[in-house]
Amino acid sequence: MTSRRFFNAYTNWDSTHYMTTARAENLDAMLKIEAMRLFYGCQTISNDEFLREREVVRNEISPARRHGRGPDPAARDVVGLPAGHAYEG
């Protein structure tokens, strides 16, 4: 019997949504993995991995901006994000 798992995520303007699907008998292991993800947060992500994933998010957001969906990039000035903030595009 194989142990099949599915991991995926998608990003909107303010958050990333993670999805995990696994067989019922793997529930305990999956809950431990999710607990570790919440506990450690971004501490275990290398700078190279961060840079790669940031590009993925930018590529997901860019088409929405081109088609007029999502917040206006100038809106960051209204909410007071400093120059150089990660949302700066």
Side-chain angles (χ1 to χ4, degrees), residues 41-56 58 86:
C42 296
Q43 296 175 37
T44 61
I45 299 172
S46 70
N47 192 55
D48 287 342
E49 188 174 3
F50 169 78
L51 294 174
R52 185 187 73 232
E53 292 301 319
R54 183 174 64 181
E55 286 306 307
V56 169
R58 285 180 172 166

Side-chain angles (χ1 to χ4, degrees), residues 25-86:
E25 60 266 20
N26 295 326
L27 177 62
D28 216 32
M30 293 297 102
L31 289 174
K32 288 177 185 174
I33 289 170
E34 294 304 321
M36 289 174 57
R37 185 190 328 239
L38 290 170
F39 179 79
Y40 289 108
C42 296
Q43 296 175 37
T44 61
I45 299 172
S46 70
N47 192 55
D48 287 342
E49 188 174 3
F50 169 78
L51 294 174
R52 185 187 73 232
E53 292 301 319
R54 183 174 64 181
E55 286 306 307
V56 169
V57 171
R58 285 180 172 166
N59 289 334
E60 289 174 351
I61 291 172
S62 291
R65 283 188 181 162
R66 282 195 300 271
H67 297 291
R69 297 186 308 269
D72 181 342
R76 74 172 179 270
D77 298 329
V78 174
V79 297
L81 295 177
H85 188 277

